[in-house]
Amino acid sequence: MEIIVASGNKNKIREIGQMLSGKAEVRGMSDYGVNVEIEENGSTFLENALIKAKAVSEILGKPVIADDSGIVAEALGDAPGIYSARYAGEGKDDEENNKKLINELKGKSKRAYFISVIVLYYPDGSYIFGEGRAYGSVIDEKRGNNGFGYDPIFLSDDLEKTFGEASAEEKNGVSHRYRALCDLMSKL
């Protein structure tokens, strides 16, 4: 089975590929010559994942999956949420996003969770989706060099270490993206 991921994020595509290893061949949209910027203007993770999957499916005429994910800090009214990738502003990097989140949480509860919503969109306009969450806390200093995004400052309840300290196998066994994929697969 072949799965096309509507994403330009190589880290996301790699993780999905690792999770589905032996079950499906995972390819990014650029493998099919699709290099479009898709405006994520939805107000929820589901809406943004649906926007991306639909756009690429309509271009290719094939089923496509898309993930929208982020970190949610309860003490910040669920921020950064859908704005996780651009929390520190457009064009800012992971380091700047991490610093802003740490600063915003000073003196507040550090409880947080990662959420992922993965949509499988079919060319006929139908779709299904899965959702997954991974709970933990935001720590004040980076730990570990693995993963990407907020991984080095997210202390996983399941692993009792940051996603940045975890091996790919450890993270992929408990992550929000893994749980969203499992939820999606259970609906197929």
Side-chain angles (χ1 to χ4, degrees):
M1 178 190 340
E2 179 180 72
I3 293 179
I4 303 166
V5 181
S7 179
N9 184 326
K10 293 184 187 322
N11 291 313
K12 227 180 243 194
I13 295 166
R14 178 182 41 77
E15 277 190 0
I16 292 170
Q18 289 169 339
M19 290 174 207
L20 295 175
S21 179
K23 297 178 186 127
E25 186 175 337
V26 176
R27 297 177 182 260
M29 63 187 198
S30 64
D31 293 329
Y32 292 86
V34 178
N35 294 305
V36 296
E37 280 293 318
I38 302 166
E39 184 179 358
E40 297 177 39
N41 56 7
S43 61
T44 66
F45 290 103
L46 174 58
E47 287 175 6
N48 284 334
L50 185 56
I51 288 166
K52 293 183 279 191
K54 179 180 180 191
V56 175
S57 179
E58 287 177 347
I59 291 168
L60 296 175
K62 297 181 178 208
V64 171
I65 68 169
D67 160 276
D68 196 45
S69 52
I71 193 166
V72 174
E74 296 157 5
L76 300 178
D78 295 341
I82 62 170
Y83 303 105
S84 293
R86 52 194 181 276
Y87 190 49
E90 289 294 334
K92 303 294 183 176
D93 63 12
D94 291 344
E95 186 74 29
E96 292 165 302
N97 287 331
N98 286 337
K99 284 180 185 174
K100 180 174 181 179
L101 183 57
I102 290 167
N103 286 333
E104 295 284 323
L105 286 174
K106 283 196 190 302
K108 298 180 174 120
S109 169
K110 307 232 188 261
R111 292 297 298 161
Y113 62 89
F114 272 119
I115 181 171
S116 171
V117 176
I118 299 179
V119 169
L120 171 58
Y121 187 90
Y122 295 96
D124 68 4
S126 63
Y127 67 91
I128 58 174
F129 70 94
E131 181 178 314
R133 294 180 183 204
Y135 291 89
S137 301
V138 174
I139 60 172
D140 292 333
E141 291 185 20
K142 287 174 48 176
R143 289 191 346 214
N145 296 312
N146 298 327
F148 61 99
Y150 296 92
D151 287 354
I153 63 167
F154 180 76
L155 183 64
S156 164
D157 287 350
D158 292 303
L159 300 176
E160 298 181 349
K161 59 175 131 180
T162 68
F163 277 176
E165 294 172 300
S167 68
E169 294 78 23
E170 289 172 319
K171 178 186 174 192
N172 291 343
V174 300
S175 77
H176 50 302
R177 194 164 290 116
Y178 170 75
R179 290 175 174 157
L181 271 174
C182 289
D183 187 32
L184 177 68
M185 298 298 235
S186 75
K187 297 173 182 175
L188 288 176

